[in-house]
Amino acid sequence: MKNSAVVVAGLFWPLACGAAFAQSPSQIPVGAGANVTRQPAGSRFRNPTNPPPAVVAPVPVAAPTVFSWTGFYVGGDFGGSFASTSIASATPGWASRSLNPAGVMGGAYAGYNYQVSPNFVLGLEGDFQGNHSSANFYYPTFDVTPNVQQNWVASLNGRLGIAYDRALFYAIGGAAWGQGTVTVTPGILLFPPNLPPVSRTANLTGWDVGAGAEYAFDPRWVGRLEYRYYNFGAFNASNVGAYLPLHVQTSINTVRVGFAYLFGAPAPVVVTKY
């Protein structure tokens, strides 16, 4: 009988162990002793004080672009004019005299650039400048006071430049036009006091050449510093009384600063950076 009981207990022992291990994971005891507590499965992996990290959104940024000089531009400039003028006459005894009219000038310019390679730029530019510069002298032998005045200059030029990113160094030259006025005022020693001055205004044609430097402060605005030389050859002007006409030869040196708006520069390309 005793042996039968042992046999029955041996048969039920594996079943009892399997039932114990088959309990729900949520009922697995944590800890030991009398104060055993039961926690839901997986609760040890949750920590409300440390939430999952926030997802950072991509930030749009402007990708760096290479500056381009290609495009139309229009601007204004201001500077000084320093002319060299000689006045001669076939009148016997009249020696050639030199004058140096100086004054301020300013105007507008516009053109187009084409950047043929990273370092070379070709362009075409036209400009118009108001030029108020004058000078005079008294010729005691003939009792006259000639006065020379420059009124305006204009030009249509080609440009050849060497570019270093936003800096451009260029040569410029082409055809030029201008207007000058020569006025001869008679004195009172050899002429009647009421004899009016004699004046002639001439439209001139010549050429100009120069050099300059430009810098793009941003993709649209460009500053410049430029030197220009104009040569208008010679023209004849009226003289007083029986004196023979004056032979006037003039050239002009100018230094100007300018500021222009460049229409063709590309806008920065916006890309997304992660």
Side-chain angles (χ1 to χ4, degrees):
M1 188 71 177
K2 189 179 295 185
N3 294 334
S4 299
V6 172
V7 172
V8 171
L11 293 175
F12 283 95
W13 173 251
L15 297 176
C17 292
F21 285 107
Q23 295 182 60
S24 169
S26 63
Q27 302 301 317
I28 297 175
V30 178
N35 297 322
V36 174
T37 59
R38 299 180 181 273
Q39 297 180 356
S43 63
R44 68 184 66 185
F45 302 106
R46 298 192 188 102
N47 189 349
T49 60
N50 296 312
V55 178
V56 179
V59 179
V61 297
T65 58
V66 177
F67 181 80
S68 173
W69 288 94
T70 297
F72 290 95
Y73 60 90
V74 60
D77 56 9
F78 179 83
S81 170
F82 311 93
S84 177
T85 302
S86 64
I87 299 178
S89 174
T91 302
W94 188 296
S96 178
R97 300 290 295 269
S98 295
L99 295 175
N100 298 107
V104 296
M105 68 185 309
Y109 59 94
Y112 180 80
N113 289 325
Y114 180 69
Q115 189 159 356
V116 296
S117 72
N119 295 113
F120 290 97
V121 178
L122 299 178
L124 182 68
E125 178 179 300
D127 72 289
F128 181 90
Q129 309 288 330
N131 181 12
H132 184 75
S133 59
S134 62
N136 61 69
F137 70 95
Y138 176 64
Y139 208 149
T141 304
F142 298 94
D143 192 27
V144 292
T145 302
N147 178 277
V148 178
Q149 178 177 313
Q150 276 80 44
N151 301 325
W152 56 263
V153 295
S155 64
L156 180 62
N157 297 303
R159 298 206 314 167
L160 174 61
I162 299 177
Y164 296 96
D165 191 30
R166 291 174 178 257
L168 177 67
F169 303 92
Y170 63 90
I172 186 170
W177 299 268
Q179 186 184 84
T181 300
V182 178
T183 302
V184 182
T185 302
I188 59 174
L189 298 179
L190 301 178
F191 300 95
N194 58 350
L195 188 66
V198 175
S199 181
R200 187 204 169 186
T201 297
N203 293 321
L204 311 173
T205 301
W207 54 272
D208 69 331
V209 67
E214 293 183 337
Y215 184 79
F217 295 97
D218 70 17
R220 294 288 185 260
W221 292 102
V222 180
R224 70 159 50 171
L225 174 64
E226 183 185 273
Y227 164 79
R228 194 88 65 87
Y229 170 81
Y230 298 84
N231 192 303
F232 292 109
F235 68 97
N236 291 327
S238 302
N239 209 339
V240 175
Y243 299 152
L244 296 176
L246 299 177
H247 186 72
V248 182
Q249 187 169 3
T250 185
S251 62
I252 306 173
N253 295 277
T254 68
V255 178
R256 305 193 292 263
V257 294
F259 212 54
Y261 184 84
L262 178 62
F263 290 93
V269 178
V270 177
V271 299
T272 302
K273 184 177 181 180
Y274 293 89

